[in-house]
Amino acid sequence: MLVHDKEANKKMVEGLAIPQHSEAGSIETFIFLCYIGKVNRQRSIEQNRGLRRNDRMILETERLVLRPWEEADAEDLYSYARHPEVGPIAGWAVHTDVENSREIIRGILSAPETYAVVLKETGRPVGSIGLMLGKASNIGIPETEGEIGCWIGVPYWGRGLIPEAVRELMRHGFEELNLERIWYGYFDGNIKSKRVQEKCGFHYHHTAENVPCAIEGVLRT
């Protein structure tokens, strides 16, 4: 996994606990990266600050709005989450139908600090991003740390949208949630995720073997 830490030049720490449980029985290899240091952004904190609308946090970048998922997003979610190249490489199963996507919005995607990645030019979600804080993550981190998870629909690969969303979530995590460290990992073989993390300044921390994921009966190295 890669990690980012709030102190600019602090060295990587060792010995972070690895996941011990999962929704299903799959065991995989997970590569941990960590961000150490504040996010370097051109605009000021005041200009970038997330907004609360109707008690919901809304984050914004040049091309994106990051907002909570809504049940009305189910069809858009399904249109991307049904693709076999999106979910399995990130450790979750493809969505089976629109109602399945709606159930996932009600459950998993309704968690705090979980956002639909909405393209400004269309006003519709094209991916998802979230920050799991402390015990909400399953990698054994304290409440002062968070773990990023994200994906984007295949038609939007290669446009730099997820790095844009990740940088904004990092800013939000450090400057508004006062996190000390942010983790971001990928399953072995997910080269696209690795490249995103490196573009956003994350650095290799350690590799964990036999990590559970949410796809039943799948083993990866």
Side-chain angles (χ1 to χ4, degrees):
M1 175 170 267
L2 296 178
V3 63
H4 250 305
D5 192 288
K6 200 168 186 178
E7 297 178 19
N9 297 310
K10 188 174 181 179
K11 293 182 179 179
M12 301 299 111
V13 298
E14 298 180 354
L16 187 72
I18 65 173
Q20 299 296 321
H21 63 277
S22 167
E23 293 294 328
S26 301
I27 303 297
E28 310 208 7
T29 295
F30 206 64
I31 300 169
F32 290 82
L33 301 93
C34 184
Y35 189 102
I36 295 183
K38 291 183 179 179
V39 183
N40 182 17
R41 299 294 297 271
Q42 294 180 348
R43 292 180 292 175
S44 70
I45 295 176
E46 287 298 325
Q47 289 173 308
N48 275 311
R49 192 181 301 275
L51 301 175
R52 284 199 174 273
R53 299 173 186 167
N54 298 323
D55 201 35
R56 303 193 314 166
M57 177 61 71
I58 308 291
L59 305 175
E60 190 171 338
T61 70
E62 180 180 352
R63 296 179 292 173
L64 303 170
V65 172
L66 310 183
R67 59 149 174 88
W69 282 92
E70 303 169 351
E71 289 190 34
D73 298 323
E75 289 190 10
D76 287 322
L77 174 58
Y78 175 62
S79 69
Y80 301 117
R82 68 182 178 180
H83 199 290
E85 291 187 54
V86 175
I89 194 67
W92 49 270
V94 297
H95 293 196
T96 56
D97 53 34
V98 173
E99 186 55 36
N100 179 216
S101 292
R102 198 182 320 276
E103 291 172 359
I104 288 171
I105 290 173
R106 292 184 190 127
I108 297 169
L109 298 181
S110 65
E113 298 299 334
T114 301
Y115 302 91
V117 177
V118 177
L119 200 61
K120 282 185 177 179
E121 65 184 56
T122 65
R124 302 177 72 170
V126 296
S128 186
I129 190 166
L131 191 56
M132 296 166 283
L133 307 178
K135 293 178 181 178
S137 168
N138 68 347
I139 62 172
I141 56 178
E143 296 302 313
T144 55
E145 299 181 8
E147 178 193 2
I148 287 178
C150 60
W151 61 268
I152 196 164
V154 173
Y156 298 94
W157 287 3
R159 293 178 54 176
L161 295 171
I162 280 296
E164 187 173 318
V166 167
R167 291 186 187 104
E168 173 59 13
L169 199 62
M170 290 166 62
R171 182 208 62 77
H172 172 60
F174 285 133
E175 296 176 357
E176 296 169 6
L177 301 179
N178 295 314
L179 297 180
E180 296 177 357
R181 182 171 295 141
I182 294 178
W183 299 86
Y184 190 170
Y186 63 93
F187 288 108
D188 194 22
N190 192 346
I191 302 302
K192 289 182 176 62
S193 183
K194 177 184 178 183
R195 288 173 180 164
V196 167
Q197 295 166 32
E198 292 174 343
K199 285 179 182 178
C200 293
F202 286 80
H203 301 281
Y204 174 78
H205 187 275
H206 70 280
T207 299
E209 301 286 344
N210 300 324
V211 175
C213 84
I215 304 177
E216 188 172 0
V218 175
L219 298 176
R220 292 192 192 132
T221 298

